[in-house]
Amino acid sequence: MSRPGFAYDFPHSSLLSAGDLNPLDVSMIFERASLHFEANRRKEPRERTLDGLAVVNLFFENSTRTLASFEMAAKRLGADVINFSAGSASISKGESLADTALNLNAMNPDVMVVRHKAAGAAAYFAKVTGAAVVNGGDGSHEHPTQALLDAFTLTRHWGDIGGKRICIIGDILHSRVARSNISLLNLLNAEVRLCGPATLLPADADRWGVTVFHDLDEALEGCDAVMALRMQKERMSGGLIPSDREFAALYGLNHARLDVASPDCLVMHPGPMNRGVEIDGALADDPERAVIMEQAEAGVAIRMAILELITGRASNQRYVDDGTGDGA
Amino acid sequence: MTLLRSARLIDPASGRDELGDLKIRDGVIEAVGGSLISQGDEAVIDLEGAVLAPALIDLRCQVNPRSSGRSGLLATAQAAAAGGYGTLVIAPDAGLSSPESFAPIENAALSSPVNLIASGLLVDHDGEMGEIGLMLRAGAALLGDGGQPVSDTRLLKRALAYAATFEAWSSLRAEDPHLSRNTCAHEGDLSMRLGFAARPGAGERMAVDRATALAELTGARILLDRISTMDGLAALKMARSKGLEIAATVPVTHLIFNEVDTASYDARYRLEPPLRSEADRDSLIEALNNGQIDAIVSDHRACTGEAKAHPFPDAEPGAATLEAVLPALCTLVADERVELIEALRAVTSSPADLLGLPQGRLEIGAPADLVAFNPDVPNVYGRDGLSCDAPSAFENRRLVGKVLITFANGAIINQPAG
């Protein structure tokens, strides 16, 4: 049984939102990331696919792992990398975001990775400059590379995310990680649950294609993966929970609470972790359960794949379906 | 084991009001109604037609759990027993914002004649949310603002949303924090003539409206604390028409006294909220009759004589009331303002249902928390001695109705001589 074949070119030159991707885009990213993941693990030198390209990491908000991850991804593939981070000269001199964007763009970088505290900042940067922009986190809005690396990690364990039950716990209100994950996991047909006190959940979150829980034991029932989120105190004005110890007692993840989850339930955390608050240290360190280090590892591979695909340098830039259903 | 004979059994939960017997075994009601036969092993008390009703339940009793002596928990519990109470919810006003702060209440409960239940602060005195989840786990019956209206609406919204997570009741003082600041009287012609700084009834209406909007927004169950004006009642009626989980209490003092009592400048009538107009009092009684009021609270507070020994505006607000509530209600009944069973409902089954307590009803298997009283005999408050002799608005007031015996969990906890 054959049908007309088709070819599909990766269509994105920026990555601003997980919601811009379709399932085929995601599988192209994962296919490429898989190669990088295995090669990175074996410490194999990579082909310099980004040779001659300049990647500017523009981090208006503090970051350790995301900045390092983007920098490593770009350098592994031979790009020239320039980092600007919070506190560096131009950023702290009160220049407007538009002027910073235009000035940097005038130097003709090939990709700009932008992290900023304002929702919509990466898209604004892209609009002002017309350049290729990767959203490295815009306020409480989106963090698409994090969602991709989370889903990639799960895919490595499960093969397919479809039909799996995943619970995101804690400060969802302020979390860009949660927003990007919700849209990506929904795209991949997972069953998404959110759990936290009403003060940490967005109003009307039940319209986001998720099931909302306030009781952790109910939320964890039958889960295949759980993702604990940090309390984003820097984004809160005034207290949203009574105390860390109350949060730990009601919503803190530990081994005992996972008894109701699936026996193979994976434990994720995008970091930075507050041990003893949203996650018990022993659980975070349990190699049988926690895939937190693997998330960090996957981050480099995913970002390598994204940088290649948006610059048109990936070997799988074009997906060809020859009509036999095997793909190519 | 006790057999109570020939009582007028009044049970607001079932609507029962008839002569009959009641039997107590193992702390619970074993049989109720009709003529019961003695097994020979129980004490028999002939109530000679006196009323036997569920012991009273107070949703708001002010006592600092860290106080000792005359204003401490045990002395207050004894006064409650003398007043026919079986259960007190201790108001969180004194800073109950963590499970540890309940320790003195848990300790006192071991030797208290009546059931003591803690309640916790939604927002502590530093403007931080109280440990709502942990306090509910530790047995808090409800949460509240501790009588201090929270002026930061965003903070209040968050605390209510958080409390709603646990489907807990949040008690909010029905008062505007700014209109009521530094006032001691109800705004009107009389308070102006007396020279008092006064607050308008409209402040209560605004607070009820704000609470209603927040209940809609957060899904919180809100108990409007101490409604005292017709303005507040009108707003309450609107709130109820929206089908929200809103309940309301009135202080017993405001069913009996009005602003005219303050014209003596007598600090015993310095109360919070202040005494209102006679029209307000009439509206509260009417609201009690038509079911708008879920509970009558004692709002008992044992002020010291020194705290009251000031000119009216400077005196500490509050009154000792635990031993006045039942006579006050009997007086309203004698004045034909309310039916006895309706008055009792607001201090027994209605607050019990609100908190999901098993007591507060004459029902087989329910805890034997009972009060026997004579609803008709004259009773001048304080003339025959009191368990709590702290200053009270009721002092020397001519009331009717006297407590004969109080039981908690089947044991006699109060039986005045004679």
Side-chain angles (χ1 to χ4, degrees):
Chain A
M1 193 79 151
S2 85
R3 51 189 169 75
F6 72 96
Y8 176 85
D9 293 312
F10 190 81
H12 307 284
S13 59
S14 282
L15 178 59
L16 300 175
S17 161
D20 294 339
L21 303 173
N22 66 35
L24 190 48
D25 296 333
V26 175
S27 74
M28 291 167 84
I29 294 169
F30 285 4
E31 184 192 349
R32 194 72 194 144
S34 251
L35 294 173
H36 292 311
F37 187 93
E38 298 305 332
N40 287 345
R41 195 165 258 195
R42 292 194 300 266
K43 297 200 188 294
E44 271 174 26
R46 305 302 296 151
E47 202 186 329
R48 294 171 62 87
T49 49
L50 300 186
D51 194 23
L53 298 185
V55 174
V56 178
N57 291 320
L58 201 49
F59 278 57
F60 294 87
E61 270 191 331
N62 278 319
S63 165
T64 308
R65 82 195 62 207
T66 307
L67 178 57
S69 181
F70 270 109
E71 183 174 1
M72 189 167 285
K75 284 186 169 163
R76 281 255 160 91
L77 297 171
D80 299 314
V81 180
I82 300 142
N83 291 335
F84 292 91
S85 52
S88 69
S90 60
I91 289 176
S92 54
K93 281 181 184 162
E95 186 177 58
S96 78
L97 185 60
D99 285 336
T100 307
L102 289 168
N103 275 285
L104 285 168
N105 193 46
M107 301 172 200
N108 297 311
D110 299 284
V111 179
M112 288 191 276
V113 179
V114 179
R115 167 172 286 196
H116 195 276
K117 70 175 190 322
Y124 178 77
F125 221 88
K127 187 177 147 198
V128 170
T129 61
V133 173
V134 176
N135 185 359
D138 58 332
S140 298
H141 179 225
E142 283 240 28
H143 192 355
T145 57
Q146 177 72 41
L148 285 164
L149 75 87
D150 288 338
F152 177 71
T153 304
L154 294 175
T155 308
R156 287 193 72 252
H157 283 264
W158 299 336
D160 187 9
I161 288 178
K164 297 287 189 179
R165 181 178 288 173
I166 300 156
C167 185
I168 307 176
I169 304 155
D171 184 4
I172 289 143
L173 181 64
H174 300 95
S175 175
R176 52 195 177 206
V177 174
R179 281 173 183 72
S180 288
N181 261 305
I182 289 165
S183 70
L184 188 64
L185 292 171
N186 267 319
L187 182 77
L188 302 176
N189 293 317
E191 179 198 336
V192 184
R193 294 180 160 192
L194 305 182
C195 182
T199 45
L200 294 179
L201 287 167
D204 300 322
D206 51 348
R207 296 184 195 171
W208 293 10
V210 298
T211 319
V212 174
F213 293 83
H214 296 308
D215 183 285
L216 185 60
D217 298 322
E218 285 173 31
L220 291 177
E221 187 80 47
C223 279
D224 299 296
V226 294
M227 187 183 297
L229 299 176
R230 177 180 67 95
M231 210 78 60
Q232 306 232 342
K233 290 195 172 138
E234 71 279 12
R235 291 185 216 287
M236 296 180 186
S237 43
L240 290 166
I241 53 158
S243 64
D244 282 351
R245 107 178 151 153
E246 170 154 337
F247 186 84
L250 299 175
Y251 298 103
L253 269 184
N254 57 37
H255 278 103
R257 300 202 84 152
L258 284 179
D259 283 349
V260 293
S262 144
D264 306 319
C265 181
L266 299 175
V267 174
M268 313 180 82
H269 195 303
M273 272 189 287
N274 292 311
R275 288 170 185 263
V277 184
E278 71 269 11
I279 190 164
D280 178 49
L283 181 62
D285 296 334
D286 179 354
E288 297 284 310
R289 294 280 197 182
V291 292
I292 297 167
M293 292 305 122
E294 196 181 320
Q295 289 173 270
E297 189 180 4
V300 177
I302 278 287
R303 288 171 180 125
M304 288 167 80
I306 286 163
L307 290 173
E308 284 181 320
L309 281 159
I310 65 170
T311 54
R313 301 271 182 117
S315 59
N316 67 335
Q317 202 72 31
R318 163 168 290 195
Y319 172 89
V320 179
D321 183 326
D322 59 12
T324 62
D326 292 340
Chain B
M1 283 142 282
T2 311
L3 176 60
L4 301 169
R5 278 238 160 97
S6 308
R8 178 183 165 196
L9 301 168
I10 302 186
D11 179 32
S14 63
R16 182 200 294 267
D17 184 350
E18 63 189 18
L19 283 174
D21 302 346
L22 183 146
K23 200 185 275 187
I24 302 169
R25 188 176 294 270
D26 299 330
V28 300
I29 297 170
E30 187 188 53
V32 57
S35 185
L36 300 174
I37 295 159
S38 168
Q39 312 277 298
D41 62 343
E42 62 268 273
V44 179
I45 301 173
D46 191 341
L47 289 174
E48 299 170 350
V51 172
L52 183 65
L56 277 50
I57 298 170
D58 193 9
L59 291 185
R60 182 176 167 81
C61 177
Q62 295 190 58
V63 48
N64 185 337
R66 292 181 298 276
S67 295
S68 54
R70 290 185 348 144
S71 60
L73 279 167
L74 282 179
T76 304
Q78 277 150 13
Y85 278 93
T87 303
L88 297 182
V89 175
I90 305 301
D93 305 24
L96 307 185
S97 62
S98 69
E100 288 81 4
S101 63
F102 293 173
I105 300 175
E106 288 156 6
N107 289 336
L110 300 175
S111 50
S112 164
V114 302
N115 302 301
L116 299 178
I117 308 180
S119 60
L121 286 174
L122 275 175
V123 174
D124 68 19
H125 296 329
D126 299 324
E128 304 281 343
M129 218 186 285
E131 289 187 309
I132 290 166
L134 295 179
M135 290 192 291
L136 289 169
R137 277 192 184 177
L142 50 86
L143 304 158
D145 59 14
Q148 300 291 323
V150 177
S151 59
D152 180 343
T153 307
R154 186 178 69 172
L155 174 63
L156 181 59
K157 180 205 151 200
R158 286 175 176 174
L160 289 171
Y162 194 86
T165 310
F166 308 96
E167 292 170 19
W169 282 96
S170 295
S171 162
L172 299 186
R173 178 74 190 89
E175 190 60 85
D176 180 90
H178 305 289
L179 286 174
S180 59
R181 192 192 304 141
N182 297 328
T183 65
C184 66
H186 175 62
E187 189 171 287
D189 178 54
L190 180 70
S191 60
M192 295 302 105
R193 286 170 193 266
L194 295 170
F196 287 149
R199 69 181 79 164
E204 206 172 88
R205 189 173 81 214
M206 292 160 149
V208 174
D209 285 343
R210 181 174 80 145
T212 305
L214 290 172
E216 281 182 87
L217 201 57
T218 61
R221 310 170 99 180
I222 295 180
L223 177 63
L224 295 162
D225 175 27
R226 286 172 283 162
I227 294 281
S228 62
T229 67
M230 44 192 167
D231 283 88
L233 287 170
L236 171 64
K237 205 168 175 182
M238 280 294 294
R240 288 197 195 275
S241 72
K242 293 175 191 278
L244 299 167
E245 290 203 85
I246 298 250
T249 69
V250 294
V252 65
T253 40
H254 291 61
L255 295 170
I256 303 295
F257 307 108
N258 66 23
E259 60 182 347
V260 177
D261 292 295
T262 66
S264 60
Y265 294 92
D266 187 330
R268 286 176 301 151
Y269 300 107
R270 173 85 166 88
L271 301 172
E272 176 58 43
L275 289 169
R276 306 289 191 171
S277 72
E278 178 63 2
D280 288 314
R281 185 178 84 97
D282 282 339
S283 305
L284 293 179
I285 294 170
E286 192 194 322
L288 180 63
N289 276 313
N290 63 28
Q292 290 284 309
I293 299 301
D294 297 272
I296 298 166
V297 293
S298 76
D299 197 26
H300 173 91
R301 180 181 175 92
C303 300
T304 61
E306 296 79 58
K308 285 289 190 189
H310 293 283
F312 187 89
D314 302 334
E316 185 177 283
T321 53
L322 284 169
E323 293 165 86
V325 172
L326 202 50
L329 297 182
C330 290
T331 304
L332 288 174
V333 173
D335 291 345
E336 298 182 347
R337 298 301 304 269
V338 62
E339 295 291 330
L340 182 53
I341 192 165
E342 290 310 314
L344 288 173
R345 184 188 306 279
V347 283
T348 57
S349 63
S350 180
D353 290 344
L354 201 75
L355 299 185
L357 300 174
Q359 61 264 41
R361 63 205 81 231
L362 302 184
E363 195 178 279
I364 293 170
D369 290 8
L370 304 165
V371 58
F373 64 96
N374 188 329
D376 304 315
V377 297
N379 179 359
V380 177
Y381 182 86
R383 195 185 57 187
D384 298 334
L386 290 163
S387 174
C388 172
D389 60 1
S392 176
F394 287 97
E395 212 170 305
N396 296 320
R397 198 74 166 194
R398 288 174 184 282
L399 303 168
V400 297
K402 253 185 186 172
V403 173
L404 300 173
I405 315 176
T406 314
F407 296 85
N409 299 304
I412 293 176
I413 54 170
N414 174 64
Q415 189 170 24

